[in-house]
Amino acid sequence: MKSMFSKVLTDQRNVFFGILLTGVTVAGFSSQSMAQSKPIIYQLLPRLFGNKQSQNIPYGTIQQNGSGKFADINNKALDGIKELGVSHVWYTGVIAHASLTDYSAFGIPVDDADVVKGRAGSPYAIRDYYDVDPDLAVDVKNRMKEFEALIARTKGKGMKVIIDFVPNHVARSYHSFAKPKGIKDFGATDDRSKSFSSTNDYYYIPGKDFVVPLKNESTNALTGLEDQKFKESPAKATGNNVFSASPSKDDWYETVKLNYGLDYAHGEKQYFSLTPAVWLKMRDILSYWAAKGVDGFRCDMAEMVPVAFWEWVIPELKKKYPGLIFIGEAYNPAVYYTYLNNGHFDYLYDKVGLYDGLKKLIRNEPEADVKEISKVWQVQTAGFGERMLSFLENHDEERIASSGFAGDAIHGIPAMVVSATLSAGPVMLYFGQEVGEPGAGVEGFGKEDNRTTIFDYWGVPEHQKWMNNGAFDGALLDSKQRELRGFYKQLMNITARSVAINKGEILDVPLGEGRIYAFLRYTESQRLLIVTNFDRTKTLETNLEIPGLLLKNRPIKESTDLLSGLKVKNTPQSLYLKVLPGTAQIIEF
């Protein structure tokens, strides 16, 4: 039998979501009159997104568990993404990476299981920078044309294309078979007798062979393939700055570090006077993909590459492709400003700060406090908040609905409203987030870690309900999932088109509650009060006096919650608030 609390919360949810399902669309203002300027990014892995198979055998082969294809992301799928207000689609895992699937019939050697994570392999262990993953092609011989067709389809729906750029490291098996004439592979002319040379592409451990790490795992489907016979002599430094021939199983042992002209053995002494060879190779790679119509790059572990490289390469690319955007994955707030200002990044991840603070609130942790939200925009990212990308899920983070995070996607609603509306910076969704995908299951290398695996062939069950065997109509979703997707659709479209969110000022509204956060976003033409209630049991009910600076010659005539379309009681100077536990309101007044 349900507890009384459970019943009360369910009733409150029904009220909240019942309102969302009444067909309100961006209530309170005309979406046609407001052009989108805030990027709404939708991240998906084509290998997982279009996969219709559902048997999900741990460490299963592509024949057993299946793989999505570029072609699966058809016009109907893109329509479903577009209706979430999306402006950019980030296709993760497009570029060819190390894998155990045999494509030797197409001139692609099979990789060694000793240095591949999982059966499908990590999308961040790049095997050939000038090729796409053959798993994603219906016709492997025409795989690049199939990706180019996906670019064209995406743009035909009015959305832009982002792909990964992984500058810090490559797969240990790196060799490009698809590179254009005149391009030299990484390491082709290296002096391997030197641990560091300003003219080398890699770092070496001279006189020592690479030692495959002992993984200390129980027997699995790959045990027979992981024979520790992989040869690399001399050993190269490992991607996460491990300058040893013997990385551990917890290191990025499947990758090798690229040399951008920093001598790590001597205090990171810089050798930039002559442009390092890796810089030139990376510029050529970026140019290659930009010429195919890619509109932007999510740059993996950007802060592990010297800012001087970004300072040089981003303006170089933008000379010819001025519309390109560069998003940096960065986790050190101390260098945010440097990478934005000197490094010319358009946007950086807002993980250490906004995401981490919101996660505590979503999880209902005892020490969670909305003061952390204020600290982010008032201190940590003050002056450049519009250049920080916010998110609640991505391939590295736990799913909100997972048992290890919140256990129910509904608990993410207040945080998603904050994440989407706090600044004019981009907001990102991860495929399946909008239907409460929990990332459950022991997939193989991905294990049971509350995430959707990026290393294994796998069907994503709750997302597959929306996909409905390729119909992309959500027919298999239950009512709760349809309600959740309706919330995301409403929120993202409000966010994308609101003048106040895109261009407005921000002002905190202290309510004296550690689990309730409210703030104002406003311009001359639009005023919004955003109220989010993270408390799981307490309803916020109060009469809020609006600061006088927002009321000059503009008394409140009427007010509407844009999420629900319901009118909010008001006087010329105040708003009457009633916000249920675990919900939020965006009030235009």
Side-chain angles (χ1 to χ4, degrees):
M1 181 164 51
K2 288 186 178 180
S3 67
M4 181 60 70
F5 164 69
S6 177
K7 183 180 185 305
V8 170
L9 186 57
T10 298
D11 290 344
Q12 291 168 337
R13 287 174 178 170
N14 289 342
V15 170
F16 177 67
F17 280 123
I19 290 166
L20 283 180
L21 288 175
T22 57
V24 176
T25 303
V26 196
F29 58 90
S30 169
S31 60
Q32 287 81 10
S33 65
M34 298 183 180
Q36 176 164 328
S37 59
K38 181 183 177 78
I40 309 292
I41 300 170
Y42 190 86
Q43 181 194 6
L44 66 88
L45 281 75
R47 184 210 303 156
L48 302 177
F49 182 87
N51 186 17
K52 302 177 185 68
Q53 292 193 39
S54 58
Q55 63 180 350
N56 286 347
I57 299 170
Y59 288 103
T61 65
I62 191 170
Q63 291 79 18
Q64 292 171 320
N65 286 356
S67 174
K69 309 294 182 183
F70 293 131
D72 291 322
I73 310 168
N74 56 28
N75 285 319
K76 183 67 174 172
L78 292 167
D79 285 339
I81 294 170
K82 178 73 172 179
E83 70 178 12
L84 293 169
V86 171
S87 59
H88 296 71
V89 185
W90 168 17
Y91 293 114
T92 302
V94 164
I95 298 177
H97 55 269
S99 166
L100 298 186
T101 301
D102 187 354
Y103 289 102
S104 56
F106 301 93
I108 303 170
V110 179
D111 286 297
D112 193 309
D114 287 336
V115 286
V116 176
K117 289 181 176 176
R119 178 87 68 177
S122 168
Y124 296 96
I126 302 299
R127 176 171 63 190
D128 187 343
Y129 254 123
Y130 291 97
D131 202 357
V132 295
D133 181 5
D135 285 346
L136 308 180
V138 175
D139 180 355
V140 175
K141 291 182 292 185
N142 291 314
R143 57 192 179 276
M144 186 62 76
K145 289 182 179 179
E146 291 187 26
F147 178 57
E148 291 167 349
L150 175 59
I151 293 175
R153 281 197 302 280
T154 306
K155 293 192 171 193
K157 293 296 182 180
M159 296 180 289
K160 295 184 178 181
V161 172
I162 296 171
I163 65 169
D164 291 284
F165 174 53
V166 190
N168 177 68
H169 50 269
V170 293
R172 289 200 179 270
S173 61
Y174 188 91
H175 178 75
S176 178
F177 293 93
K179 62 183 181 293
K181 290 182 179 179
I183 296 290
K184 292 183 178 179
D185 260 349
F186 293 110
T189 60
D190 280 6
D191 182 346
R192 300 184 182 192
S193 68
K194 296 179 179 179
S195 58
F196 169 82
S197 168
S198 61
T199 59
N200 278 357
D201 293 334
Y202 296 128
Y203 298 92
Y204 296 90
I205 298 90
K208 293 188 177 181
D209 294 343
F210 175 75
V211 179
V212 177
L214 289 170
K215 299 178 185 178
N216 296 321
E217 293 182 351
S218 57
T219 301
N220 60 57
L222 301 185
T223 300
L225 299 175
E226 295 171 344
D227 57 12
Q228 295 190 290
K229 293 181 180 180
F230 175 77
K231 301 295 183 183
E232 181 181 277
S233 185
K236 303 182 185 77
T238 295
N240 59 322
N241 291 3
V242 174
F243 297 89
S244 163
S246 305
S248 79
K249 66 182 178 64
D250 297 319
D251 289 317
W252 303 347
Y253 60 83
E254 80 280 21
T255 69
V256 290
K257 175 82 174 178
L258 287 167
N259 173 11
Y260 281 79
L262 290 180
D263 185 352
Y264 286 91
H266 297 90
E268 298 187 25
K269 185 176 179 180
Q270 299 177 353
Y271 292 85
F272 300 157
S273 56
L274 293 176
T275 306
V278 167
W279 291 26
L280 297 170
K281 289 182 173 73
M282 287 302 188
R283 179 199 60 189
D284 292 343
I285 288 163
L286 288 165
S287 296
Y288 174 82
W289 291 105
K292 289 189 178 295
V294 168
D295 301 293
F297 299 92
R298 178 269 189 187
C299 302
D300 186 70
M301 296 307 299
E303 62 187 331
M304 292 186 75
V305 172
V307 71
F309 166 71
W310 302 113
E311 189 172 4
W312 171 78
V313 79
I314 292 177
E316 279 283 297
L317 266 292
K318 289 194 175 186
K319 287 177 185 176
K320 186 172 182 180
Y321 305 101
L324 279 179
I325 65 168
F326 286 82
I327 300 167
E329 180 191 19
Y331 300 114
N332 180 7
V335 302
Y336 285 174
Y337 183 78
T338 300
Y339 275 75
L340 288 169
N341 187 56
N342 298 1
H344 304 294
F345 273 96
D346 296 286
Y347 308 108
L348 296 180
Y349 270 32
D350 199 346
K351 196 268 182 196
V352 181
L354 187 59
Y355 171 84
D356 286 348
L358 290 173
K359 185 172 183 178
K360 294 176 186 176
L361 288 160
I362 297 169
R363 286 166 54 87
N364 202 31
E365 296 179 8
E367 72 278 11
D369 196 299
V370 296
K371 290 178 181 177
E372 293 190 40
I373 302 171
S374 297
K375 183 180 177 181
V376 169
W377 68 265
Q378 292 177 6
V379 179
Q380 194 176 86
T381 63
F384 54 85
E386 76 283 354
R387 296 177 67 186
M388 301 301 291
L389 180 149
S390 63
F391 57 85
L392 294 185
E393 289 189 0
N394 64 40
H395 68 278
D396 285 321
E397 307 300 342
E398 294 174 302
R399 293 284 196 176
I400 298 167
S402 68
S403 58
F405 191 155
D408 191 332
I410 198 170
H411 295 314
I413 284 174
M416 195 64 235
V417 171
V418 171
S419 186
T421 63
L422 192 65
S423 81
V427 61
M428 184 168 72
L429 303 177
Y430 188 38
F431 83 105
Q433 177 181 346
E434 70 277 17
V435 295
E437 172 58 47
V442 180
E443 306 105 334
F445 189 87
K447 301 184 177 66
E448 183 68 88
D449 62 356
N450 304 312
R451 297 167 175 84
T452 295
T453 181
I454 64 171
F455 307 102
D456 307 283
Y457 298 110
W458 202 251
V460 183
E462 303 310 312
H463 164 72
Q464 286 179 329
K465 292 178 182 178
W466 174 71
M467 184 170 55
N468 188 19
N469 201 38
F472 296 100
D473 58 7
L476 302 181
L477 297 175
D478 63 28
S479 59
K480 183 178 175 182
Q481 289 174 311
R482 289 195 295 273
E483 290 163 353
L484 185 67
R485 183 176 166 86
F487 159 76
Y488 273 96
K489 180 180 175 181
Q490 185 77 347
L491 173 63
M492 292 300 111
N493 279 282
I494 291 168
T495 298
R497 294 167 176 82
S498 165
V499 170
I501 293 170
N502 278 275
K503 301 182 183 300
E505 301 294 326
I506 182 171
L507 182 66
D508 248 349
V509 178
L511 292 174
E513 300 279 354
R515 299 299 172 103
I516 296 172
Y517 190 64
F519 56 100
L520 291 155
R521 299 300 310 276
Y522 60 95
T523 65
E524 285 295 319
S525 61
Q526 188 183 38
R527 302 175 299 195
L528 299 178
L529 172 68
I530 294 99
V531 188
T532 56
N533 186 356
F534 291 92
D535 199 293
R536 295 193 182 181
T537 60
K538 186 190 299 183
T539 294
L540 169 68
E541 194 164 2
T542 188
N543 197 61
L544 180 69
E545 295 288 330
I546 299 299
L549 69 94
L550 271 75
L551 296 173
K552 292 179 181 178
N553 303 317
R554 294 177 62 200
I556 303 171
K557 294 182 179 179
E558 63 176 14
S559 49
T560 305
D561 173 19
L562 300 182
L563 281 173
S564 67
L566 290 180
K567 298 297 182 184
V568 175
K569 293 180 182 179
N570 64 269
T571 71
Q573 297 84 29
S574 66
L575 298 171
Y576 170 71
L577 303 179
K578 186 174 182 180
V579 186
L580 300 175
T583 68
Q585 295 178 10
I586 301 175
I587 303 171
E588 185 174 33
F589 61 94

